[in-house]
Amino acid sequence: MAHTWSNWSKTISSTPTDVATPWTIEALETTVDEAIAQCRRLKAVGSGHSFTSIAAANDIQLDLSNYTGIVTFDQHAGRVTLRSGTRLWQIAQLLAGSGWAMENLGDINQQSIAGAISTGTHGTGVRFGALASQVIGLEFITGTGQRLTVSEDQDPEVLDALRVSLGAFGIVTTVTLQLVPEYDLRTVEAPAPLDEVLDNWQAFNDQHDHFEVFWFGHDQNVQTKSSQRLPVQDRSPSPLQRAQNWVTDELVSNGGLALISQLGRRYRRLLPALNRYATRAWGSSDVTAHWSSAFATPRRVRFNEMEYALPFETIPDVVRELRALFCRKNLGSTFPLEIRSAAPDTAWLATNHSQPTGYIAVHQYFQQDFREYFAQIEPILRAAGGRPHWGKLHTLAAADFPALYPKWQQMLDLREQYDPQRIFANSYVTRVLGA
Ligand SMILES: Cc1cc2nc3c(=O)[nH]c(=O)nc-3n(C[C@H](O)[C@H](O)[C@H](O)COP(=O)(O)OP(=O)(O)OC[C@H]3O[C@@H](n4cnc5c(N)ncnc54)[C@H](O)[C@@H]3O)c2cc1C
């Protein structure tokens, strides 16, 4: 019976002709070799957490959820090689007790390591790159069946081409990460006036290892989240900390958000009041936790998302322009905009390629149409030189990207070399990279 796959937000689905779920490298290689020999299309899927159809397979779906775990771990140098389907939460478990940690993470940990790096998944912090910045080696099978072992020491250019590669160049079989000594994160959440944050955007980011802002477009206040890295302490969370975590993660982020989203969907005129209420309900908290549990929060209320990477210094002006738009058009969503940052990266298709980067993300409840809302905001993000997140919704196509990515032509040449038969293409890949 045909199996229908859908992504996390339930807006993308596909019905692959066949599904391969290899447990071993031999089975994985056989799947790829047979697909090439039979001129089939093959699409790897991680955990299906992209909002675009980037992972949708119409012919063979390569489901890597069983292809997980550590291949090698150099405990002295803090270098771990993982099978490509390993989930981020599994990595934290696998590293437990080793004294090592991932350098930075985004706001969930459900993604596979290969899926996360392939779309340029990032967290926040002006001194830290995206997840792909932690990658120092890859093993890879191209669309001609070639096995590549690429490392930063021997092939830095090829590694830069493949670290963020949209699943369009071949199948990543292993990912080697450079780890850092484990750490705790002290995270303070507090409301602040929007203008104060925008006036001091650089300083807020410089002062904290990780800084992010949640802002409902109708509100003059924002919620800030600032984290500092600390040496690991030997302790478990106090009852007060556990209670604070529960209030923030469950009551406000999930339970409250679900209720507000339902209300906002039915009674649109209530949005400004609901937004102000949500910012106030968020309140303040001060929690210290081990890195393995500090970054990610549960996301039980489904949504769709668009996110653009912008030159870091443009963020205050762009947010002010968005504020004027929200006011003029009475725009709104029950989800806040999320504003983050990242250090530059040399990966060819990294959204933070070669520039300190600020990110602006907009979300819409999954039961509401996102198109009209995103369509009002996207031109402002594009006009500021924005690059869309590869795994999140946007309307750009192949002709738009050469102006945004200096290595675009080299990337197309490499794609021609690695996937001349377009084994790894699907409708999204063809739209953004061309036929
Ligand atoms: C609730 C939620 C929160 C999110 N938070 C963040 C965030 O904080 N920061 C951020 O930047 N993004 C975030 N995202 C987006 C998400 O991180 C990316 O879309 C990511 O790519 C999803 O990883 P995945 O394992 O689900 O990959 P999938 O969506 O399954 O696949 C993504 C791409 O990777 C390719 N791929 C997967 N495995 C392989 C392989 N072995 N070889 C070659 N190609 C492969 C697929 O073919 C596809 O092209 C979030 C998404 C959701 C739903």
Side-chain angles (χ1 to χ4, degrees), residues 44 46-50 64 107 111-112 115 119 121-122 166 172 340 389:
S47 70
H49 273 62
S50 296
L64 292 167
D107 55 21
Q111 306 96 317
S112 66
T119 63
T121 295
H122 62 92
L166 283 57
V172 176
R340 294 185 277 183
H389 189 302

Side-chain angles (χ1 to χ4, degrees), residues 5 8-9 43-52 54-56 62 64 84-85 87 105-108 110-123 140 165-168 170-173 299 303 305 307 338 340 389-392 426 429:
W5 168 90
W8 177 85
S9 63
K43 185 50 56 189
V45 64
S47 70
H49 273 62
S50 296
F51 299 93
T52 58
I54 190 167
L62 181 61
L64 292 167
S84 53
R87 301 290 198 260
L105 283 167
D107 55 21
I108 60 161
Q110 300 301 304
Q111 306 96 317
S112 66
I113 184 63
I117 63 169
S118 294
T119 63
T121 295
H122 62 92
F140 200 81
S165 57
L166 283 57
I171 301 299
V172 176
T173 57
R299 288 281 192 272
F303 54 84
E305 183 173 347
E307 181 174 50
E338 192 176 2
R340 294 185 277 183
H389 189 302
W390 297 111
K392 301 185 182 179
N426 64 7
V429 167

